[in-house]
Amino acid sequence: MITRVKGSYVIGYNGVDHEIIRDGEVVYENDTIIYVGKHYEGEVSKTEDAGNAVIMPGFIDLNALGDIDHDILHTEAFSNIRSSLNPSEEYFEKGTHEVMTAEEEAFKSLYAYTQLIMHGITTAMPITSTYYKKWADTYEEEEAGVHHAGRLGLRLYTSPSYQCGLNVVRPDGTMTVRYLEGQGEEGLERAVRFIRKYDGAYDGLIRGALLPERIETQTEENLIRTKQYAEELKCPIKLHAAQGLFEYRFIKERTGKSPVEYLESIGFLGKNVGIPHCYIVKGTRWVEDEGDDLSILSNTGTTAIFCPVIIGRSGHYQDSFAKYRARNINVAVGTDTFPPDFFQNIRIASWFSQMAENKVEGSAMADVYRAVTLGGSALLGREDLGRLAPGAKADMIAVDLEDFHMGAVDDPIRTIFMCGCGRDVKMSVINGKTVMKDRTIEGVDLEEIKAKGQKYYDKMRMGYMERDYRHLSEDELFRPSFPIHK
């Protein structure tokens, strides 16, 4: 089966960088691209004319939300409420428990992965919240996620997450970490079994990745074993680190080092390691301690996974995208929230970086798009992803230029990332299969899963009440923007 996709613009790849082809076409046979250019001379089985659209590599989301987003509860939380949104030490000592049923936990990834596809994400490495969980991911819920991804056609790097400890709030409102013996070790072994079973499933769409939770919730032994298993399984690792001041201080008090220095000291960092957020580091405005964590990231080939929108919501920003790239650090991007909209993330990363650097050079939206595509594929060790070129996988999206809000089209990259949003993705092809067209996914009733998603969220929201160390009322804990008259 040879398929041709045509559009007003094609973002091709010349072996070194992306390039813009006016009135271009991409031709693929089964799951592999065989031609990118203007006039394919061979015969094709089918032609898809996307019309006035940009045909481009799909987004690689290396911190993709795999559940129903809780961030709307944490965004704009006043300082006197923030601690109440974390599990309390009292709750931990009573014994954590699942808020959601097994059926609900199996559903959440269907909701999340549908969101990802609708926003043009073709490869995802998921993250799920532990705020309302008994502990971390269960084997069963991640197994359900694999089957949802496989049926939807989403390329996924995954396994159940795991942690040795949990961030909790003491009675005085301060934060600490409480550990449960054996939980992290059992979780790691569970993840390894999962990868051995599912790596390569669904025609290679499903690949393994080890996903330990936050650095402060891991023991040193479990981190070292994680690295050893990643080398054995030849899979990437994602570990949240350098993402908050509590974590930075906790690791420094325990080890005398910054989180990045500590990870280097135990041999954890490397080309197969991605660190989401990774901005509370020595050598930036966020840390006064002497040292240079950026050199460590560069020398070890470790990837920084920026999540501009969710960090921006907290009033912070990476300092800066251009600085990291100038130091030869591989940067990828994750959405980490709803909407999983890379149009927002790319322009916000560009704006924040320009503000930090006081210049455009190195901070343009095209620079960030390289990170979303080529930076993401570098961490995964996949030269067949993140680009439209012969031999690459047929993973691509069509971004519509027709709607009035796009305005006058000049440079297609600047136009779509200045004016567009995830809803402008009108077609998505993954592994040679059209998984979304005209905002429709075959076999998915968006209204039905939206309604189920709302019920899930409402139940998840109420779970915060019992975990609050102050046991605030619902109105106190969840402040409305304006008074509500019922």
Side-chain angles (χ1 to χ4, degrees), residues 256-459:
K257 300 177 173 65
S258 73
V260 171
E261 290 171 334
Y262 169 64
L263 291 173
E264 181 196 31
S265 73
I266 63 172
F268 186 85
L269 301 179
K271 291 184 178 180
N272 65 337
V273 176
I275 303 180
H277 309 305
C278 197
Y279 77 106
I280 307 293
V281 298
K282 292 182 176 181
T284 69
R285 72 185 302 272
W286 301 110
V287 175
E288 295 180 354
D289 295 343
E290 292 185 1
D292 186 6
D293 287 339
L294 299 184
S295 288
I296 295 173
L297 294 171
S298 177
N299 293 338
T300 57
T302 303
T303 295
I305 305 173
F306 282 2
C307 304
V309 166
I310 199 164
I311 294 299
R313 285 176 183 166
S314 68
H316 289 193
Y317 57 89
Q318 285 87 7
D319 182 27
S320 66
F321 175 87
K323 179 186 290 185
Y324 279 57
R325 290 300 301 127
R327 297 291 295 275
N328 199 34
I329 297 168
N330 186 52
V331 179
V333 183
T335 55
D336 201 11
T337 188
F338 286 169
D341 190 332
F342 269 105
F343 297 79
Q344 284 190 36
N345 277 275
I346 287 171
R347 59 177 163 255
I348 288 174
S350 172
W351 294 343
F352 284 178
S353 187
Q354 288 184 51
M355 285 188 286
E357 300 292 332
N358 199 30
K359 62 181 181 180
V360 174
E361 288 84 349
S363 302
M365 286 178 280
D367 295 314
V368 185
Y369 180 65
R370 287 189 187 96
V372 172
T373 51
L374 303 176
S377 65
L379 171 62
L380 301 177
R382 296 287 300 267
E383 293 187 356
D384 59 346
L385 298 181
R387 68 209 72 194
L388 300 184
K393 290 295 184 183
D395 290 10
M396 69 197 78
I397 60 175
V399 180
D400 194 7
L401 293 170
E402 277 296 293
D403 277 1
F404 188 71
H405 68 269
M406 280 291 187
V409 177
D410 182 50
D411 176 273
I413 291 293
R414 278 194 292 273
T415 296
I416 63 173
F417 291 127
M418 281 181 64
C419 303
C421 67
R423 289 187 58 80
D424 293 308
V425 178
K426 67 177 184 177
M427 183 173 72
S428 180
V429 176
I430 304 176
N431 217 35
K433 178 184 176 184
T434 301
V435 299
M436 187 272 286
K437 187 176 180 182
D438 298 329
R439 307 295 300 162
T440 299
I441 300 175
E442 185 177 353
V444 175
D445 185 333
L446 296 181
E447 290 303 314
E448 178 184 349
I449 66 170
K450 185 177 187 298
K452 289 181 70 174
Q454 186 66 53
K455 290 179 181 178
Y456 184 105
Y457 172 81
D458 291 341
K459 185 176 179 180

Side-chain angles (χ1 to χ4, degrees), residues 98-131:
E98 296 290 4
V99 173
M100 318 305 292
T101 67
E103 181 182 6
E104 288 165 335
E105 291 289 46
F107 159 76
K108 67 182 182 182
S109 53
L110 172 62
Y111 185 99
Y113 296 165
T114 300
Q115 285 266 11
L116 299 179
I117 287 175
M118 296 296 287
H119 285 79
I121 292 158
T122 53
T123 298
M125 186 182 288
I127 173 68
T128 55
S129 173
T130 59
Y131 279 103

Side-chain angles (χ1 to χ4, degrees), residues 20 39 59 66 69 110 117 141 150 163 181 185 194 210 241 258 284 286 323 332 376-377 387 410 418 436 453 476 481:
I20 298 169
H39 301 292
F59 303 124
D69 198 7
L110 172 62
I117 287 175
E141 69 191 64
Q163 58 188 11
E181 185 176 353
E185 293 77 9
F194 187 94
L210 287 170
S258 73
T284 69
W286 301 110
K323 179 186 290 185
S377 65
R387 68 209 72 194
D410 182 50
M418 281 181 64
M436 187 272 286
E476 291 175 301
S481 295

Side-chain angles (χ1 to χ4, degrees), residues 77-256:
F78 286 176
S79 55
N80 65 322
I81 296 297
R82 287 176 188 164
S83 294
S84 289
L85 296 174
N86 290 279
S88 67
E89 194 168 38
E90 173 194 19
Y91 170 74
F92 176 86
E93 290 174 347
K94 286 181 178 178
T96 60
H97 64 89
E98 296 290 4
V99 173
M100 318 305 292
T101 67
E103 181 182 6
E104 288 165 335
E105 291 289 46
F107 159 76
K108 67 182 182 182
S109 53
L110 172 62
Y111 185 99
Y113 296 165
T114 300
Q115 285 266 11
L116 299 179
I117 287 175
M118 296 296 287
H119 285 79
I121 292 158
T122 53
T123 298
M125 186 182 288
I127 173 68
T128 55
S129 173
T130 59
Y131 279 103
Y132 58 95
K133 292 285 294 172
K134 179 180 180 179
W135 201 244
D137 296 342
T138 66
Y139 190 98
E140 292 75 18
E141 69 191 64
E142 197 58 41
E143 192 170 46
V146 160
H147 296 311
H148 289 320
R151 287 190 286 267
L152 291 168
L154 178 66
R155 195 179 297 280
L156 196 69
Y157 278 76
T158 193
S159 70
S161 67
Y162 51 93
Q163 58 188 11
C164 305
L166 184 69
N167 289 348
V168 297
V169 181
R170 299 185 183 102
D172 64 0
T174 59
M175 186 85 75
T176 189
V177 181
R178 292 289 301 272
Y179 298 90
L180 279 180
E181 185 176 353
Q183 282 289 336
E185 293 77 9
E186 292 172 12
L188 171 57
E189 295 297 330
R190 187 166 56 244
V192 170
R193 290 197 309 273
F194 187 94
I195 291 172
R196 286 176 173 157
K197 180 176 180 179
Y198 284 106
D199 187 58
Y202 287 98
D203 294 326
L205 283 177
I206 309 302
R207 298 298 304 272
L210 287 170
L211 309 175
E213 288 284 348
R214 304 161 178 256
I215 182 177
E216 73 272 24
T217 67
Q218 302 294 324
T219 63
E220 183 168 304
E221 294 79 7
N222 221 38
L223 288 173
I224 292 170
R225 290 290 290 145
T226 294
K227 181 70 171 181
Q228 290 170 344
Y229 269 128
E231 300 297 335
E232 177 185 330
L233 297 167
K234 296 181 172 55
C235 73
I237 305 169
K238 180 174 67 176
L239 173 70
H240 282 65
Q243 67 170 332
L245 291 175
F246 163 74
E247 171 225 302
Y248 184 94
R249 293 165 185 153
F250 184 87
I251 296 297
K252 182 179 177 183
E253 288 173 4
R254 195 169 71 176
T255 69

Side-chain angles (χ1 to χ4, degrees), residues 1-6 25-30 34-35 39-49:
M1 181 73 175
I2 298 177
T3 305
R4 171 170 47 204
V5 179
K6 301 169 60 177
E25 55 189 42
V26 181
V27 182
Y28 55 93
E29 184 172 10
N30 300 323
I34 59 175
Y35 175 83
H39 301 292
Y40 179 65
E41 299 296 337
E43 293 185 2
V44 300
S45 310
K46 180 182 178 182
T47 295
E48 288 271 10
D49 190 347

